[in-house]
Amino acid sequence: MKQPESTLAEKYTYRVAWSEEDQCHVATCLEFPSLAAHGSSAKKALTEIETVVSASLEWMREDGEQIPEPFGRRTYRGNLTLRVPAELHRALAIRSAEEGVSLNQYILSKIA
C-alpha cells in the first residue's frame, strides 16, 4: 500500500543545527543527505525540510525511483563487521585478554 508522502516524510530522521555562517537554523534528513532547508527558527527549519522531503518522495515515486526506508523502520541484526589493521587487532586481543573478557565484549564496552 502506497503511503502518502507527507505521512512517510514524518518517519524520517531529522537534525536541526544553528549555522553561524548562514545566520539561521539548517535542517537535514539523514536518509536524504543531499537535502537541507533553512529557517529563522529550529521549528521553521524542521517544517521546511519535511516539506522538501515530501516533495522529493513525490518526485521519486513519479520517476519510479527506490524510496529509502526510514532508519526507525529498518531492522538490524546486531552484527557488525569491521576491518582493522592487524596490529590493532592484536593490541585489542591482548587488552581483552588482560581484562578477562572476549574481544567482542571488550570492543562493545569501548563503543557503548
Side-chain angles (χ1 to χ4, degrees), residues 2-22:
K2 184 171 118 175
Q3 190 169 26
E5 283 77 12
S6 61
T7 304
L8 181 57
E10 295 171 357
K11 308 288 189 251
Y12 287 107
T13 310
Y14 298 98
R15 297 287 185 260
V16 180
W18 173 255
S19 170
E20 192 64 33
E21 180 180 336
D22 297 319

Side-chain angles (χ1 to χ4, degrees), residues 16-18 23-27 37-46 48:
V16 180
W18 173 255
Q23 289 295 299
C24 64
H25 290 85
V26 178
H38 299 81
S40 57
S41 70
K43 186 174 182 175
K44 286 181 182 178
L46 181 58
E48 287 300 315

Side-chain angles (χ1 to χ4, degrees), residues 31 68-79:
E31 290 86 349
E69 188 74 18
F71 284 119
R73 289 186 170 175
R74 296 178 191 181
T75 55
Y76 296 88
R77 295 187 331 243
N79 297 332

Side-chain angles (χ1 to χ4, degrees):
M1 181 172 125
K2 184 171 118 175
Q3 190 169 26
E5 283 77 12
S6 61
T7 304
L8 181 57
E10 295 171 357
K11 308 288 189 251
Y12 287 107
T13 310
Y14 298 98
R15 297 287 185 260
V16 180
W18 173 255
S19 170
E20 192 64 33
E21 180 180 336
D22 297 319
Q23 289 295 299
C24 64
H25 290 85
V26 178
T28 56
C29 178
L30 296 182
E31 290 86 349
F32 292 91
S34 64
L35 302 180
H38 299 81
S40 57
S41 70
K43 186 174 182 175
K44 286 181 182 178
L46 181 58
T47 299
E48 287 300 315
I49 191 64
E50 286 180 340
T51 300
V52 170
V53 169
S54 290
S56 297
L57 289 168
E58 188 175 323
W59 298 326
M60 292 174 78
R61 280 209 174 99
E62 289 171 2
D63 293 344
E65 293 183 38
Q66 175 121 10
I67 305 291
E69 188 74 18
F71 284 119
R73 289 186 170 175
R74 296 178 191 181
T75 55
Y76 296 88
R77 295 187 331 243
N79 297 332
L80 178 65
T81 301
L82 177 66
R83 300 203 184 282
V84 297
E87 285 302 313
L88 178 57
H89 191 170
R90 176 180 291 109
L92 290 169
I94 291 168
R95 289 184 192 134
S96 68
E98 289 172 342
E99 302 244 347
V101 297
S102 72
L103 182 56
N104 280 346
Q105 289 174 320
Y106 180 77
I107 293 172
L108 182 59
S109 73
K110 295 300 175 188
I111 62 174

